[in-house]
Amino acid sequence: MGKKLYIETLGCAMNVRDSEHIIAELKEKEQFELTDDLSKADLILINTCSVREKPVHKLFSEIGYFNKKKKTGAKIGVCGCTASHLGDEIIKKAPYVSFVLGARNVSKITEVIHKEKAVEVDIDYDESTYAFSDFRSSPYKAFINISIGCDKKCTFCIVPNTRGEEISIPPELVVQEARRAAQNGAKEIFLLGQNVNNYGRRFSDRDRKIDFTDLLKMVSEIGEVKRIRFTSPHPLHMDDKFLEEFANNPKICKSMHMPLQSGSTKVLRDMKRGYTKEWFLDRAMKLRSLVPDVHISTDIIVGFPGESEEDFADTIDVVEQVKFEQIFSFKYSPRPLTPAQNYPNQVPDEIASKRLSFLQDLHLSMLDAISQKEMGKVYEVYFEELKPGGYVAGRTDNNWIVKVKGSEELLGRFVDVKITKPGRLSLEGEVLVNEKV
Ligand code: 5AD
Ligand code: SF4
């Protein structure tokens, strides 16, 4: 009987991809099989996130639980961003943890599992050209890393300290991986990086002149690739060349994540985001005029140190002007190793909570109007997932989740669907008969 691996993944799409790399390496080189039964696992991994404080607290209660439920002799390993920033403190606090593996050290997974109390958390480690084994959780879409780390120094963000400096993955490796994935059936390619449109900033193998727009063109030339998505771009690097390629390249899905963080130019300056309220609005409006159907999502932090009522009103003003289709909103969470944790004028929790509820309620009411406008539209949906109650779900090019009555024969297909029922998180529709390839 093969050894069994149980893995829990928290956090962003990059963490999801790191977990796929971990699974791939352990399957191929150490003959592990995946299990979702904790008590049967020989190796239990938790791939953590440390962007806010909550998941870090969750880590220690989670591994305590794993330790109680695990079978005798099973090992527990902690990976990801919290592993990077807490390092050996994790083993001091939870001595039953066998090893700690940082977010930038994933390729060492097959080494650390054989070393008792190994701590591999070097944030200068360069795995940008490491050839990982292949594993994907979905046969229909492929996450592909295009860079590692982040060179921005946003003052609230711990990521530069957990994932290290930014290095771009050579374009020929990205294209090769995209081609292989698409030939194996993943018609949708999801390019990943902390800051994708800063692509080309630094390569560890040699100097070259290439930017994200060039990379998008290269990936879109692969015949089997039908759709391209990416996350996360930075508003500062949304130049005209990039927005025009986004608008004119039919393979690029018309859904853009534009992390606003704050609508106040003063707060943006304190956050060191590198753009103003006006720049953000100009880019968003240009995007809406170039791509009328575009779906714009964003991240917003409320209660950043020094945020006044007027600053918050600027955030609300941007939300009302841009009419984001999706907002991920967070209360500011002071993080270790970041400058903003020491800023004066930390905003009291009750005020931050109030602002967060106001923003979320406002957006919910806007969403009803946004989704109502979708009624009767016809979209091409790429079906990816079976849902309870005899439904199949997929996404439109502009990122609406659409559910229809149907079964597995729809999976992996592009089908025209007419929207019959609006919703805040997903729409419902009916398949039109003229099915496409
Ligand atoms: N507090 C709250 N939210 C944060 N984010 C990053 N750091 C923090 C923090 N210290 C949010 C940002 C980022 C998203 C991934 O998480 O909005 O875009
Ligand atoms: Fe963090 Fe800013 Fe880098 Fe995003 S761009 S990962 S928010 S430092």
Side-chain angles (χ1 to χ4, degrees):
M1 267 243 304
K3 293 171 284 181
K4 298 242 184 306
L5 165 67
Y6 177 93
I7 184 163
E8 182 175 299
T9 308
L10 307 172
C12 65
M14 301 218 61
N15 260 22
V16 173
R17 183 64 185 138
D18 288 346
S19 285
E20 289 182 343
H21 280 150
I22 290 173
I23 296 166
E25 291 288 292
L26 290 175
K27 268 172 124 51
E28 189 126 317
K29 300 186 180 147
E30 298 286 336
Q31 291 74 51
F32 273 92
E33 283 165 33
L34 275 175
T35 177
D36 45 22
D37 185 346
L38 186 62
S39 64
K40 296 226 167 71
D42 301 279
L43 177 60
I44 300 168
L45 295 179
I46 178 159
N47 191 9
T48 61
C49 168
S50 58
V51 96
R52 281 168 295 276
E53 203 178 354
K54 242 196 215 152
V56 180
H57 281 313
K58 197 171 156 196
L59 167 68
F60 287 100
S61 59
E62 200 83 337
I63 49 181
Y65 175 76
F66 290 166
N67 190 42
K68 274 199 210 116
K69 295 278 165 188
K70 75 179 170 97
K71 72 175 185 190
T72 318
K75 284 188 171 185
I76 298 177
V78 176
C79 316
C81 284
T82 310
S84 302
H85 99 260
L86 293 183
D88 55 7
E89 270 181 57
I90 295 175
I91 297 184
K92 280 193 200 128
K93 207 162 156 184
Y96 44 82
V97 168
S98 299
F99 61 85
V100 175
L101 182 70
R104 202 169 165 129
N105 312 87
V106 172
S107 59
K108 299 226 163 142
I109 183 70
T110 50
E111 290 174 32
V112 290
I113 58 163
H114 296 296
K115 292 187 199 156
E116 205 32 42
K117 309 295 174 206
V119 178
E120 285 285 352
V121 293
D122 178 5
I123 64 159
D124 294 324
Y125 192 64
D126 178 5
E127 39 186 34
S128 62
T129 56
Y130 184 85
F132 282 101
S133 308
D134 208 14
F135 172 82
R136 299 195 179 278
S137 3
S138 164
Y140 310 116
K141 69 174 166 208
F143 284 137
I144 297 181
N145 290 348
I146 66 164
S147 60
I148 56 179
C150 179
D151 269 3
K152 296 269 181 281
K153 294 272 178 282
C154 300
T155 56
F156 53 80
C157 185
I158 196 173
V159 168
N161 285 295
T162 63
R163 292 191 175 267
E165 78 174 7
E166 194 167 323
I167 299 182
S168 302
I169 294 175
E172 60 279 5
L173 294 186
V174 174
V175 168
Q176 198 183 63
E177 192 178 345
R179 182 173 293 116
R180 189 159 21 105
Q183 284 169 350
N184 287 335
K187 294 169 195 154
E188 185 172 302
I189 298 296
F190 214 124
L191 303 175
L192 296 180
Q194 226 58 53
N195 210 338
V196 282
N197 52 343
N198 201 28
Y199 181 78
R201 174 163 173 80
R202 184 185 297 116
F203 291 95
S204 61
D205 58 344
R206 64 187 151 100
D207 277 348
R208 20 176 143 212
K209 268 219 132 347
I210 174 167
D211 64 15
F212 185 54
T213 309
D214 303 328
L215 184 72
L216 283 173
K217 285 190 185 140
M218 289 167 74
V219 174
S220 69
E221 277 159 16
I222 303 169
E224 294 87 349
V225 171
K226 300 288 181 230
R227 281 184 174 186
I228 303 171
R229 297 186 193 274
F230 50 83
T231 201
S232 280
H234 194 298
L236 175 65
H237 303 295
M238 292 191 177
D239 55 22
D240 286 350
K241 178 183 166 198
F242 168 64
L243 291 186
E244 277 154 23
E245 181 66 20
F246 178 87
N248 298 328
N249 187 326
K251 290 193 181 177
I252 301 179
C253 289
K254 302 305 179 250
S255 152
M256 184 80 89
H257 190 58
M258 288 185 73
L260 169 66
Q261 313 300 1
S262 168
S264 150
T265 297
K266 177 189 148 288
V267 174
L268 288 169
R269 197 184 55 229
D270 293 345
M271 289 176 162
K272 290 209 169 43
R273 289 289 291 170
Y275 54 87
T276 58
K277 175 184 181 184
E278 289 67 35
W279 167 262
F280 188 95
L281 282 172
D282 175 76
R283 297 292 88 188
M285 295 313 166
K286 169 135 193 170
L287 188 57
R288 290 243 187 251
S289 73
L290 289 174
V291 190
D293 246 6
V294 72
H295 188 127
I296 307 182
S297 56
T298 196
D299 291 343
I300 294 177
I301 297 177
V302 302
F304 184 79
E307 183 190 69
S308 65
E309 282 302 326
E310 294 73 56
D311 294 323
F312 180 61
D314 274 327
T315 299
I316 296 298
D317 184 38
V318 176
V319 168
E320 284 176 333
Q321 290 199 52
V322 179
K323 300 188 172 58
F324 299 104
E325 278 77 9
Q326 198 171 16
I327 299 183
F328 301 93
S329 50
F330 316 100
K331 258 195 295 186
Y332 168 69
S333 166
R335 308 303 299 123
L337 312 171
T338 61
Q341 67 170 328
N342 301 316
Y343 283 4
N345 307 321
Q346 298 278 329
V347 173
D349 191 58
E350 320 83 78
I351 295 185
S353 296
K354 246 199 195 128
R355 290 181 188 163
L356 187 67
S357 313
F358 183 87
L359 170 64
Q360 291 179 340
D361 290 347
L362 170 72
H363 191 240
L364 281 180
S365 65
M366 292 170 75
L367 265 185
D368 290 336
I370 292 170
S371 82
Q372 198 63 44
K373 280 208 246 143
E374 300 300 314
M375 280 292 286
K377 283 194 190 169
V378 174
Y379 278 117
E380 187 182 67
V381 175
Y382 181 44
F383 284 101
E384 299 165 32
E385 212 185 334
L386 293 177
K387 291 281 181 194
Y391 284 97
V392 190
R395 284 181 191 261
T396 65
D397 166 287
N398 65 359
N399 215 28
W400 279 108
I401 297 174
V402 177
K403 282 195 321 188
V404 300
K405 280 276 182 199
S407 57
E408 52 282 326
E409 79 246 9
L410 284 176
L411 293 175
R413 294 184 172 275
F414 291 89
V415 181
D416 280 344
V417 172
K418 185 171 174 187
I419 305 304
T420 53
K421 195 169 161 199
R424 284 170 172 174
L425 290 176
S426 63
L427 309 170
E428 270 185 53
E430 278 168 14
V431 170
L432 298 180
V433 273
N434 60 331
E435 190 181 312
K436 303 194 176 145
V437 204

